[in-house]
Amino acid sequence: MWTDVLDLNEFYASSLGQTTVRLLRARLREVWPSVRGETVLGLGYAGPFLRPFMEEAERTLSFMPAPQGVTRWPREGRNHTALVDELDLPLPDRSVDRVLLIHAIECTEQVRPFLREIWRVMADGGKLITIAPTRAGLWSQLDRSPFYQGHPYSPGQVAALLRANMFAPMRQTRALFMPPTRSRLAMRMAPAVERFGHRWLGRFAGVSVIESGKQLYAAITERTAQPELAVVRPKLRIAHSRDTQAARNSEDGEAPAS
């Protein structure tokens, strides 16, 4: 189930939402320190997290799936967003270098075709970052969180899903160790909690952040040669005159000659 874009707008306009953006932006910059001269595509609700890449990348796009809804981004200047069909992205093959997937993989009901469509538009050698809510983290369990809707994943499940759809996981990290609370004290302590959690509380992170590359060739299982079947030919028996006479006597009811 997709989270409505108005609810996402409301969350990220709040103080907790702004803190969330800062924490995730820092983690994204660790994974992608430079995107200079590349085309960056955000899928889901990626606008707040794409802003640091806008001046650096050659082109920045934000696609929002139709069931989620669309909103203008950024607020100033030219619009970079578009409402799209998640299974039919309006891009040619191999046209983007980087893809950021957030508020998407846990929401779509057709995850495998969705990932295959992303694979289609990614350039050879392209990189994908998938941000997904974790099962053990509070961000997938409390309804005040924007990651509450949809299906949470363990990091291992996300990696297996990517491998099954022709992506090769390369790097994995975690983020959002602070609880989704509106407490001002908790938000001030968020950077320190994030550093502590990243070192000691890995399995309790709110989201997993996995970078993967486009896999160009699928593995092919080697066939084992089947052994050839031996042809068994019947042995021919050459009838002699004695055998022939005995067979005739048997047909006539006579006893064979001794």
Side-chain angles (χ1 to χ4, degrees):
M1 180 177 179
W2 291 89
T3 305
D4 190 271
V5 69
L6 297 179
D7 295 332
L8 291 169
N9 277 346
E10 181 180 356
F11 173 81
Y12 284 109
S14 67
S15 298
L16 176 58
Q18 293 299 311
T19 302
T20 304
V21 169
R22 287 194 294 270
L23 296 176
L24 286 179
R25 279 182 183 175
R27 195 66 69 213
L28 289 172
R29 266 306 186 185
E30 289 180 7
V31 181
W32 286 350
S34 175
V35 295
R36 189 169 302 279
E38 297 183 317
T39 299
V40 180
L41 169 66
L43 273 172
Y45 189 86
F49 311 98
L50 291 175
R51 185 174 288 276
F53 303 125
M54 284 186 63
E55 295 182 1
E56 183 179 328
E58 179 180 355
R59 190 181 184 192
T60 308
L61 303 171
S62 178
F63 285 177
M64 299 186 181
Q68 174 184 276
V70 68
T71 184
R72 178 186 172 83
W73 178 83
R75 294 183 182 275
E76 70 285 351
R78 297 176 59 186
N79 181 45
H80 289 250
T81 62
L83 187 69
V84 300
D85 180 347
E86 64 195 278
L87 304 184
D88 188 16
L89 301 179
L91 291 172
D93 297 353
R94 300 188 296 275
S95 57
V96 296
D97 303 294
R98 309 277 179 133
V99 178
L100 172 61
L101 197 60
I102 182 168
H103 295 300
I105 195 172
E106 72 272 20
C107 299
T108 180
E109 297 178 358
Q110 304 183 76
V111 62
R112 291 181 181 272
F114 185 35
L115 288 174
R116 289 301 179 94
E117 182 66 2
I118 295 171
W119 186 95
R120 180 187 67 81
V121 302
M122 278 180 61
D124 299 344
K127 300 292 188 299
L128 166 69
I129 285 183
T130 305
I131 297 180
T134 60
R135 291 181 179 277
L138 291 175
W139 289 75
S140 65
Q141 301 175 30
L142 300 178
D143 59 2
R144 70 175 67 100
S145 161
F147 296 97
Y148 177 73
Q149 297 282 5
H151 178 75
Y153 292 88
S154 69
Q157 287 177 320
V158 179
L161 185 62
L162 291 169
R163 281 193 294 267
N165 290 277
M166 302 178 69
F167 291 96
M170 301 166 55
R171 182 175 178 179
Q172 179 175 306
T173 185
R174 297 176 175 86
L176 300 185
F177 293 92
M178 61 166 282
T181 174
R182 294 181 174 85
S183 165
R184 293 186 178 181
L185 176 61
M187 285 187 280
R188 283 199 299 268
M189 295 178 61
V193 172
E194 197 75 2
R195 290 191 296 269
F196 178 82
H198 187 65
R199 184 166 184 175
W200 302 106
L201 303 173
R203 65 187 302 265
F204 297 107
V207 297
S208 57
V209 181
I210 298 179
E211 182 190 29
S212 56
K214 181 176 180 178
Q215 185 176 346
L216 298 181
Y217 303 101
I220 299 176
T221 305
E222 184 179 353
R223 292 185 177 181
T224 55
Q226 297 293 334
E228 294 184 2
L229 298 177
V231 179
V232 180
R233 299 181 182 276
K235 294 184 178 179
L236 298 179
R237 184 171 177 233
I238 301 176
H240 297 280
S241 58
R242 183 185 179 104
D243 298 331
T244 306
Q245 185 63 39
R248 287 176 180 173
N249 293 340
S250 176
E251 290 175 359
D252 296 336
E254 298 180 5
S258 58

Coordinates of all heavy atoms in Angstrom, one line a residue, residues 78-162:
R78 N 12.6 25.4 -11.8 CA 11.9 24.4 -12.7 C 11.5 23.2 -11.9 O 12.2 22.7 -11.0 CB 12.9 24.1 -13.8 CG 13.3 25.2 -14.7 CD 14.2 24.8 -15.8 NE 13.7 23.7 -16.6 CZ 14.4 23.1 -17.5 NH1 15.7 23.4 -17.7 NH2 13.8 22.2 -18.2
N79 N 10.4 22.6 -12.3 CA 9.9 21.4 -11.7 C 10.7 20.2 -12.2 O 10.9 20.1 -13.4 CB 8.4 21.2 -12.1 CG 7.8 20.0 -11.5 OD1 8.0 19.7 -10.3 ND2 7.1 19.2 -12.3
H80 N 11.0 19.3 -11.3 CA 11.8 18.1 -11.6 C 11.0 16.8 -11.4 O 11.6 15.7 -11.5 CB 13.1 18.1 -10.8 CG 14.1 19.1 -11.2 ND1 15.3 18.8 -11.8 CD2 14.1 20.4 -11.0 CE1 16.0 19.9 -12.0 NE2 15.3 20.9 -11.6
T81 N 9.8 16.9 -11.1 CA 9.0 15.7 -10.8 C 8.0 15.4 -11.9 O 7.7 16.2 -12.7 CB 8.1 15.9 -9.5 OG1 7.2 17.0 -9.7 CG2 9.0 16.3 -8.3
A82 N 7.6 14.1 -11.9 CA 6.6 13.6 -12.9 C 5.9 12.4 -12.2 O 6.4 11.7 -11.4 CB 7.3 13.1 -14.1
L83 N 4.6 12.3 -12.6 CA 3.8 11.2 -12.1 C 3.9 10.1 -13.2 O 3.7 10.3 -14.4 CB 2.3 11.7 -12.0 CG 1.3 10.7 -11.4 CD1 1.6 10.5 -10.0 CD2 -0.1 11.1 -11.7
V84 N 4.3 8.9 -12.7 CA 4.6 7.8 -13.7 C 3.9 6.5 -13.3 O 3.5 6.3 -12.1 CB 6.1 7.6 -13.7 CG1 6.9 8.8 -14.1 CG2 6.7 7.1 -12.3
D85 N 3.9 5.6 -14.2 CA 3.5 4.3 -14.0 C 4.8 3.5 -13.6 O 5.8 3.5 -14.3 CB 2.9 3.6 -15.3 CG 2.5 2.2 -15.1 OD1 2.9 1.6 -14.1 OD2 1.9 1.7 -16.1
E86 N 4.7 2.9 -12.4 CA 5.9 2.3 -11.9 C 6.5 1.2 -12.7 O 7.7 0.8 -12.7 CB 5.7 1.8 -10.5 CG 4.6 0.7 -10.5 CD 4.1 0.4 -9.1 OE1 4.7 -0.4 -8.3 OE2 3.0 0.9 -8.8
L87 N 5.6 0.6 -13.6 CA 6.1 -0.5 -14.4 C 6.3 -0.1 -15.9 O 6.6 -0.9 -16.7 CB 5.0 -1.6 -14.4 CG 4.6 -2.2 -13.1 CD1 3.6 -3.3 -13.2 CD2 5.8 -2.6 -12.3
D88 N 6.2 1.2 -16.1 CA 6.5 1.7 -17.5 C 7.1 3.1 -17.4 O 6.4 4.1 -17.6 CB 5.2 1.8 -18.3 CG 5.4 2.1 -19.8 OD1 6.6 2.0 -20.2 OD2 4.5 2.4 -20.4
L89 N 8.3 3.2 -16.9 CA 9.0 4.5 -16.7 C 9.2 5.2 -18.1 O 9.7 4.6 -19.0 CB 10.3 4.3 -16.0 CG 10.2 3.6 -14.6 CD1 11.6 3.5 -14.0 CD2 9.3 4.4 -13.7
P90 N 8.9 6.5 -18.2 CA 9.1 7.2 -19.5 C 10.5 7.6 -19.8 O 10.8 8.8 -19.9 CB 8.2 8.4 -19.2 CG 8.2 8.7 -17.8 CD 8.3 7.3 -17.1
L91 N 11.4 6.6 -19.8 CA 12.8 6.8 -20.1 C 13.3 5.8 -21.1 O 12.8 4.6 -21.0 CB 13.6 6.7 -18.8 CG 13.4 7.9 -17.8 CD1 14.1 7.5 -16.5 CD2 13.9 9.2 -18.3
P92 N 14.2 6.1 -21.9 CA 14.8 5.1 -22.8 C 15.7 4.1 -22.0 O 16.1 4.4 -20.9 CB 15.6 5.9 -23.8 CG 15.9 7.2 -23.1 CD 14.7 7.4 -22.2
D93 N 16.1 3.0 -22.7 CA 17.0 2.1 -22.1 C 18.3 2.7 -21.7 O 18.8 3.5 -22.5 CB 17.2 0.9 -23.0 CG 15.9 0.1 -23.3 OD1 14.9 0.4 -22.6 OD2 15.9 -0.8 -24.1
R94 N 18.9 2.3 -20.6 CA 20.2 2.7 -20.2 C 20.4 4.2 -20.2 O 21.4 4.7 -20.8 CB 21.3 2.0 -21.1 CG 21.2 0.5 -21.0 CD 22.4 -0.2 -21.8 NE 22.3 0.1 -23.2 CZ 21.6 -0.6 -24.1 NH1 20.9 -1.6 -23.7 NH2 21.7 -0.2 -25.4
S95 N 19.5 4.9 -19.6 CA 19.5 6.4 -19.7 C 19.9 7.1 -18.4 O 20.1 8.3 -18.4 CB 18.2 6.9 -20.2 OG 17.1 6.5 -19.4
V96 N 19.9 6.4 -17.3 CA 20.3 7.0 -16.0 C 21.5 6.3 -15.4 O 21.6 5.1 -15.5 CB 19.1 7.0 -15.0 CG1 17.9 7.9 -15.6 CG2 18.6 5.6 -14.7
D97 N 22.3 7.1 -14.6 CA 23.5 6.5 -14.0 C 23.2 6.1 -12.6 O 23.8 5.1 -12.1 CB 24.6 7.5 -14.0 CG 24.9 8.0 -15.5 OD1 25.4 7.2 -16.3 OD2 24.7 9.2 -15.8
R98 N 22.4 6.8 -11.8 CA 22.2 6.5 -10.4 C 20.7 6.6 -10.2 O 19.9 7.4 -10.7 CB 22.8 7.6 -9.5 CG 24.3 7.9 -9.8 CD 25.2 6.9 -9.1 NE 26.6 7.1 -9.4 CZ 27.6 7.1 -8.5 NH1 27.3 6.9 -7.3 NH2 28.8 7.3 -8.9
V99 N 20.2 5.6 -9.4 CA 18.8 5.6 -9.0 C 18.7 5.5 -7.5 O 19.4 4.6 -6.8 CB 18.1 4.3 -9.6 CG1 16.6 4.3 -9.2 CG2 18.2 4.4 -11.1
L100 N 17.9 6.3 -6.9 CA 17.6 6.3 -5.4 C 16.2 5.9 -5.2 O 15.2 6.5 -5.7 CB 17.8 7.7 -4.8 CG 17.4 7.9 -3.4 CD1 18.1 6.9 -2.4 CD2 17.5 9.3 -2.9
L101 N 16.0 4.8 -4.5 CA 14.7 4.2 -4.3 C 14.3 4.3 -2.8 O 14.9 3.7 -2.0 CB 14.7 2.7 -4.7 CG 13.4 1.9 -5.0 CD1 12.7 2.6 -6.1 CD2 13.7 0.5 -5.3
I102 N 13.3 5.2 -2.5 CA 12.9 5.4 -1.2 C 11.4 5.6 -1.1 O 10.8 6.2 -2.0 CB 13.7 6.6 -0.5 CG1 13.3 6.8 0.9 CG2 13.4 7.9 -1.4 CD1 14.1 7.8 1.7
H103 N 10.8 5.0 -0.1 CA 9.3 5.0 0.1 C 8.7 4.4 -1.2 O 7.7 4.8 -1.7 CB 8.7 6.4 0.2 CG 9.1 7.1 1.5 ND1 8.8 6.5 2.8 CD2 9.8 8.2 1.8 CE1 9.3 7.3 3.7 NE2 9.9 8.3 3.1
A104 N 9.3 3.2 -1.6 CA 8.8 2.6 -2.8 C 8.8 1.1 -2.7 O 7.8 0.5 -2.9 CB 9.7 3.1 -4.0
I105 N 10.0 0.5 -2.4 CA 10.1 -1.0 -2.5 C 9.2 -1.6 -1.5 O 8.7 -2.7 -1.7 CB 11.5 -1.4 -2.3 CG1 11.7 -2.9 -2.7 CG2 12.0 -1.2 -0.9 CD1 13.1 -3.4 -2.8
E106 N 8.9 -1.0 -0.3 CA 8.0 -1.6 0.7 C 6.5 -1.4 0.3 O 5.7 -2.0 1.0 CB 8.3 -1.0 2.1 CG 7.9 0.4 2.3 CD 8.9 1.4 1.9 OE1 9.8 1.1 1.1 OE2 8.9 2.6 2.3
C107 N 6.3 -0.5 -0.6 CA 4.9 -0.1 -0.9 C 4.3 -0.8 -2.2 O 3.1 -1.1 -2.3 CB 4.8 1.4 -1.1 SG 5.2 2.3 0.3
T108 N 5.2 -1.0 -3.2 CA 4.7 -1.6 -4.4 C 4.2 -3.0 -4.3 O 4.7 -3.8 -3.5 CB 5.7 -1.5 -5.5 OG1 5.2 -2.1 -6.7 CG2 7.0 -2.3 -5.1
E109 N 3.1 -3.4 -5.0 CA 2.6 -4.7 -5.0 C 3.2 -5.6 -6.1 O 2.9 -6.8 -6.1 CB 1.0 -4.7 -5.1 CG 0.4 -4.0 -3.9 CD -1.1 -3.9 -4.1 OE1 -1.6 -4.4 -5.2 OE2 -1.8 -3.4 -3.2
Q110 N 4.0 -5.0 -6.9 CA 4.6 -5.7 -8.0 C 6.1 -5.4 -8.0 O 6.6 -4.8 -8.9 CB 4.0 -5.3 -9.4 CG 2.5 -5.4 -9.4 CD 1.9 -5.1 -10.7 OE1 2.0 -5.8 -11.7 NE2 1.3 -3.9 -10.8
V111 N 6.7 -5.9 -6.9 CA 8.1 -5.5 -6.7 C 9.1 -6.1 -7.8 O 10.0 -5.3 -8.2 CB 8.5 -6.0 -5.3 CG1 8.5 -7.5 -5.1 CG2 9.9 -5.4 -5.0
R112 N 8.9 -7.3 -8.2 CA 9.8 -7.8 -9.2 C 9.7 -7.1 -10.6 O 10.8 -6.7 -11.1 CB 9.6 -9.3 -9.4 CG 10.0 -10.1 -8.1 CD 9.8 -11.6 -8.3 NE 10.2 -12.3 -7.1 CZ 11.4 -12.8 -6.8 NH1 12.4 -12.6 -7.7 NH2 11.7 -13.4 -5.7
P113 N 8.5 -6.9 -11.2 CA 8.5 -6.1 -12.4 C 9.0 -4.7 -12.2 O 9.6 -4.1 -13.1 CB 7.0 -6.1 -12.8 CG 6.4 -7.3 -12.1 CD 7.2 -7.5 -10.8
F114 N 8.8 -4.1 -11.0 CA 9.3 -2.8 -10.7 C 10.8 -2.7 -10.8 O 11.4 -1.8 -11.4 CB 8.7 -2.4 -9.3 CG 9.1 -1.0 -8.9 CD1 9.1 0.1 -9.9 CD2 9.3 -0.7 -7.6 CE1 9.4 1.4 -9.5 CE2 9.6 0.6 -7.2 CZ 9.7 1.6 -8.1
L115 N 11.4 -3.7 -10.1 CA 12.9 -3.7 -10.2 C 13.4 -4.0 -11.6 O 14.5 -3.4 -12.0 CB 13.4 -4.8 -9.2 CG 13.3 -4.4 -7.7 CD1 13.7 -5.6 -6.8 CD2 14.1 -3.2 -7.3
R116 N 12.8 -4.8 -12.3 CA 13.2 -5.1 -13.7 C 13.1 -3.8 -14.6 O 13.9 -3.6 -15.5 CB 12.4 -6.2 -14.3 CG 12.7 -7.6 -13.7 CD 14.1 -8.0 -13.9 NE 14.5 -9.2 -13.3 CZ 14.5 -10.4 -14.0 NH1 14.2 -10.4 -15.2 NH2 14.8 -11.5 -13.3
E117 N 12.1 -3.0 -14.3 CA 11.9 -1.7 -15.1 C 13.1 -0.8 -14.7 O 13.6 -0.1 -15.5 CB 10.6 -1.1 -14.8 CG 10.3 0.2 -15.5 CD 10.2 0.0 -17.1 OE1 10.3 -1.1 -17.6 OE2 10.0 1.0 -17.7
I118 N 13.4 -0.8 -13.4 CA 14.6 0.1 -13.0 C 15.8 -0.4 -13.7 O 16.7 0.4 -14.2 CB 14.7 0.0 -11.5 CG1 13.5 0.7 -10.8 CG2 16.0 0.7 -11.0 CD1 13.5 0.5 -9.3
W119 N 16.0 -1.8 -13.8 CA 17.2 -2.3 -14.4 C 17.2 -1.9 -15.9 O 18.3 -1.6 -16.4 CB 17.1 -3.9 -14.3 CG 18.3 -4.6 -14.8 CD1 19.4 -5.0 -14.1 CD2 18.6 -5.0 -16.2 NE1 20.3 -5.7 -14.9 CE2 19.8 -5.7 -16.2 CE3 17.9 -4.8 -17.4 CZ2 20.4 -6.2 -17.4 CZ3 18.4 -5.3 -18.6 CH2 19.7 -6.0 -18.5
R120 N 16.1 -1.8 -16.5 CA 16.0 -1.4 -17.9 C 16.6 0.0 -18.2 O 17.3 0.2 -19.1 CB 14.6 -1.5 -18.5 CG 14.5 -1.2 -19.9 CD 13.0 -1.1 -20.4 NE 12.3 0.0 -19.8 CZ 12.3 1.2 -20.2 NH1 13.1 1.6 -21.2 NH2 11.6 2.2 -19.6
V121 N 16.2 0.9 -17.3 CA 16.5 2.3 -17.6 C 17.9 2.7 -17.0 O 18.5 3.7 -17.3 CB 15.5 3.3 -17.0 CG1 14.1 3.0 -17.5 CG2 15.5 3.2 -15.4
M122 N 18.5 1.8 -16.2 CA 19.9 2.1 -15.7 C 20.9 1.8 -16.7 O 20.9 0.8 -17.5 CB 20.1 1.2 -14.5 CG 19.5 1.7 -13.2 SD 19.9 0.7 -11.8 CE 21.7 0.8 -11.7
A123 N 21.9 2.7 -16.8 CA 23.1 2.5 -17.7 C 23.9 1.3 -17.2 O 23.9 1.0 -16.0 CB 23.9 3.8 -17.7
D124 N 24.7 0.8 -18.1 CA 25.6 -0.3 -17.8 C 26.6 0.3 -16.8 O 27.2 1.4 -17.1 CB 26.3 -0.8 -19.0 CG 25.4 -1.4 -20.0 OD1 24.2 -1.7 -19.6 OD2 25.8 -1.6 -21.2
G125 N 26.8 -0.3 -15.7 CA 27.7 0.2 -14.7 C 27.0 1.2 -13.7 O 27.6 1.8 -12.9
G126 N 25.7 1.3 -13.9 CA 24.9 2.2 -13.0 C 24.8 1.7 -11.6 O 25.1 0.5 -11.3
K127 N 24.4 2.6 -10.6 CA 24.3 2.2 -9.2 C 22.9 2.5 -8.7 O 22.3 3.5 -9.1 CB 25.3 3.0 -8.4 CG 26.8 2.8 -8.8 CD 27.2 1.4 -8.5 CE 28.7 1.2 -8.7 NZ 29.1 1.4 -10.1
L128 N 22.4 1.6 -7.9 CA 21.1 1.8 -7.2 C 21.2 1.8 -5.7 O 21.9 0.9 -5.2 CB 20.2 0.6 -7.7 CG 18.9 0.4 -6.9 CD1 17.9 1.5 -7.2 CD2 18.3 -1.0 -7.2
I129 N 20.6 2.7 -5.1 CA 20.5 2.7 -3.6 C 19.1 2.4 -3.2 O 18.1 3.1 -3.7 CB 21.0 4.1 -3.0 CG1 22.5 4.2 -3.0 CG2 20.5 4.1 -1.5 CD1 23.0 5.4 -2.3
T130 N 18.9 1.4 -2.4 CA 17.5 1.0 -2.0 C 17.5 1.3 -0.5 O 18.3 0.8 0.3 CB 17.3 -0.5 -2.2 OG1 17.5 -0.7 -3.6 CG2 15.9 -0.8 -1.9
I131 N 16.5 2.1 -0.1 CA 16.3 2.4 1.3 C 14.9 1.7 1.7 O 13.9 2.0 1.1 CB 16.2 3.9 1.6 CG1 17.6 4.5 1.3 CG2 15.8 4.2 3.1 CD1 17.6 6.0 1.5
A132 N 15.0 0.8 2.6 CA 13.8 0.0 3.0 C 13.7 -0.1 4.5 O 14.7 -0.2 5.2 CB 13.9 -1.4 2.4
P133 N 12.5 0.0 5.1 CA 12.3 -0.1 6.5 C 12.7 -1.5 7.0 O 12.4 -2.5 6.3 CB 10.8 0.2 6.7 CG 10.2 -0.1 5.4 CD 11.2 0.2 4.4
T134 N 13.3 -1.6 8.1 CA 13.7 -2.9 8.7 C 12.6 -3.5 9.6 O 11.8 -2.7 10.2 CB 15.0 -2.8 9.5 OG1 14.8 -1.9 10.5 CG2 16.1 -2.3 8.6
R135 N 12.6 -4.8 9.8 CA 11.6 -5.4 10.6 C 11.8 -5.1 12.1 O 10.8 -4.9 12.8 CB 11.6 -6.9 10.4 CG 11.2 -7.4 9.0 CD 11.2 -8.9 9.0 NE 10.8 -9.4 7.7 CZ 9.5 -9.6 7.3 NH1 8.6 -9.3 8.2 NH2 9.2 -10.0 6.2
A136 N 13.0 -5.1 12.5 CA 13.3 -4.9 14.0 C 13.2 -3.5 14.4 O 13.2 -3.2 15.6 CB 14.6 -5.5 14.3
G137 N 13.3 -2.5 13.5 CA 13.3 -1.1 13.9 C 11.9 -0.5 14.2 O 10.9 -1.0 13.7
L138 N 11.9 0.5 15.0 CA 10.7 1.1 15.5 C 10.0 1.9 14.3 O 8.8 2.1 14.3 CB 10.9 2.1 16.6 CG 11.3 1.5 18.0 CD1 11.7 2.5 19.0 CD2 10.2 0.6 18.5
W139 N 10.8 2.3 13.3 CA 10.2 3.1 12.2 C 9.2 2.3 11.4 O 8.4 3.0 10.7 CB 11.3 3.7 11.4 CG 12.1 4.7 12.1 CD1 13.1 4.5 13.0 CD2 12.0 6.1 11.9 NE1 13.6 5.7 13.5 CE2 13.0 6.7 12.8 CE3 11.3 6.9 11.0 CZ2 13.1 8.1 12.8 CZ3 11.5 8.3 11.1 CH2 12.4 8.9 12.0
S140 N 9.2 1.0 11.4 CA 8.2 0.3 10.6 C 7.1 -0.2 11.5 O 6.1 -0.8 11.0 CB 8.9 -1.0 10.0 OG 9.3 -1.9 11.1
Q141 N 7.1 0.2 12.8 CA 6.1 -0.3 13.7 C 5.2 0.8 14.3 O 4.1 0.5 14.9 CB 6.8 -1.0 14.9 CG 7.6 -2.2 14.4 CD 8.4 -2.9 15.5 OE1 7.9 -2.9 16.7 NE2 9.5 -3.4 15.2
L142 N 5.6 2.1 14.2 CA 4.8 3.2 14.8 C 4.2 4.0 13.7 O 4.9 4.3 12.7 CB 5.7 4.1 15.6 CG 6.4 3.4 16.8 CD1 7.3 4.4 17.6 CD2 5.4 2.8 17.8
D143 N 2.9 4.3 13.8 CA 2.2 4.9 12.7 C 2.5 6.4 12.5 O 2.1 7.0 11.5 CB 0.7 4.7 12.9 CG 0.2 5.4 14.2 OD1 1.0 6.0 14.9 OD2 -1.0 5.3 14.4
R144 N 3.3 7.0 13.4 CA 3.8 8.3 13.1 C 5.0 8.4 12.2 O 5.4 9.4 11.8 CB 4.1 9.0 14.4 CG 5.4 8.5 15.1 CD 5.7 9.3 16.3 NE 4.7 9.1 17.4 CZ 4.9 8.2 18.4 NH1 6.0 7.5 18.5 NH2 4.0 8.1 19.3
S145 N 5.5 7.2 11.8 CA 6.6 7.1 10.9 C 6.2 7.0 9.5 O 5.2 6.4 9.2 CB 7.4 5.9 11.3 OG 8.3 5.5 10.2
P146 N 6.9 7.7 8.5 CA 6.5 7.5 7.1 C 6.9 6.2 6.5 O 6.5 5.9 5.4 CB 7.4 8.6 6.4 CG 8.6 8.7 7.3 CD 8.1 8.5 8.7
F147 N 7.6 5.3 7.3 CA 7.9 4.0 6.9 C 7.0 2.9 7.5 O 7.2 1.7 7.4 CB 9.4 3.6 7.2 CG 10.4 4.5 6.5 CD1 10.9 5.6 7.2 CD2 10.8 4.2 5.3 CE1 11.9 6.4 6.5 CE2 11.7 5.0 4.6 CZ 12.3 6.1 5.3
Y148 N 5.9 3.4 8.0 CA 4.9 2.5 8.7 C 4.1 1.7 7.7 O 3.8 0.5 7.9 CB 4.0 3.3 9.6 CG 2.9 2.4 10.2 CD1 3.2 1.6 11.3 CD2 1.6 2.6 9.8 CE1 2.2 0.8 11.9 CE2 0.6 1.8 10.4 CZ 0.9 0.9 11.5 OH -0.1 0.2 12.1
Q149 N 3.8 2.3 6.5 CA 3.0 1.6 5.5 C 3.8 0.6 4.8 O 5.0 0.8 4.6 CB 2.4 2.7 4.5 CG 1.4 3.7 5.1 CD 0.0 3.1 5.3 OE1 -0.2 1.9 5.1 NE2 -0.9 3.9 5.8
G150 N 3.2 -0.4 4.3 CA 3.9 -1.3 3.4 C 4.5 -2.5 4.1 O 4.3 -2.8 5.3
H151 N 5.5 -3.1 3.4 CA 6.1 -4.4 3.9 C 7.5 -4.2 4.3 O 8.4 -3.8 3.4 CB 6.0 -5.4 2.7 CG 6.6 -6.7 3.0 ND1 6.0 -7.6 3.9 CD2 7.8 -7.3 2.6 CE1 6.8 -8.7 4.0 NE2 7.9 -8.5 3.2
P152 N 7.9 -4.3 5.6 CA 9.3 -4.1 6.0 C 10.1 -5.4 5.6 O 9.6 -6.5 5.4 CB 9.2 -4.0 7.5 CG 7.9 -4.8 7.9 CD 7.0 -4.6 6.7
Y153 N 11.4 -5.2 5.4 CA 12.3 -6.2 5.0 C 13.5 -6.3 6.0 O 13.9 -5.2 6.5 CB 12.9 -5.9 3.6 CG 11.9 -6.0 2.5 CD1 11.2 -4.9 2.1 CD2 11.7 -7.2 1.8 CE1 10.3 -4.9 1.1 CE2 10.8 -7.2 0.7 CZ 10.1 -6.1 0.4 OH 9.3 -6.2 -0.7
S154 N 14.1 -7.5 6.1 CA 15.4 -7.6 6.8 C 16.4 -7.2 5.7 O 16.1 -7.3 4.5 CB 15.6 -9.0 7.3 OG 15.7 -9.9 6.2
P155 N 17.6 -6.7 6.1 CA 18.6 -6.4 5.1 C 18.9 -7.6 4.2 O 19.2 -7.5 3.0 CB 19.8 -6.0 5.9 CG 19.2 -5.5 7.2 CD 18.0 -6.4 7.4
G156 N 18.9 -8.8 4.7 CA 19.2 -10.0 3.9 C 18.1 -10.3 2.9 O 18.4 -10.7 1.8
Q157 N 16.8 -9.9 3.2 CA 15.8 -10.1 2.3 C 15.9 -9.1 1.1 O 15.6 -9.5 0.0 CB 14.4 -9.9 3.0 CG 14.0 -11.1 3.9 CD 12.7 -10.8 4.6 OE1 12.5 -9.7 5.0 NE2 11.9 -11.8 4.7
V158 N 16.3 -7.9 1.4 CA 16.4 -6.9 0.4 C 17.6 -7.3 -0.6 O 17.4 -7.2 -1.8 CB 16.7 -5.5 1.0 CG1 17.0 -4.5 -0.2 CG2 15.6 -5.0 1.9
A159 N 18.7 -7.8 0.0 CA 19.8 -8.2 -0.8 C 19.4 -9.4 -1.7 O 19.8 -9.4 -2.9 CB 21.0 -8.6 0.1
A160 N 18.7 -10.3 -1.2 CA 18.3 -11.5 -2.0 C 17.3 -11.1 -3.1 O 17.4 -11.6 -4.2 CB 17.6 -12.5 -1.1
L161 N 16.4 -10.1 -2.8 CA 15.5 -9.6 -3.8 C 16.2 -8.9 -4.9 O 15.9 -9.1 -6.1 CB 14.5 -8.7 -3.1 CG 13.3 -8.1 -4.0 CD1 12.5 -9.3 -4.5 CD2 12.5 -7.1 -3.2
L162 N 17.2 -8.2 -4.6 CA 18.0 -7.5 -5.6 C 18.8 -8.5 -6.5 O 18.8 -8.3 -7.7 CB 19.0 -6.5 -4.9 CG 18.3 -5.3 -4.3 CD1 19.4 -4.5 -3.4 CD2 17.7 -4.3 -5.3

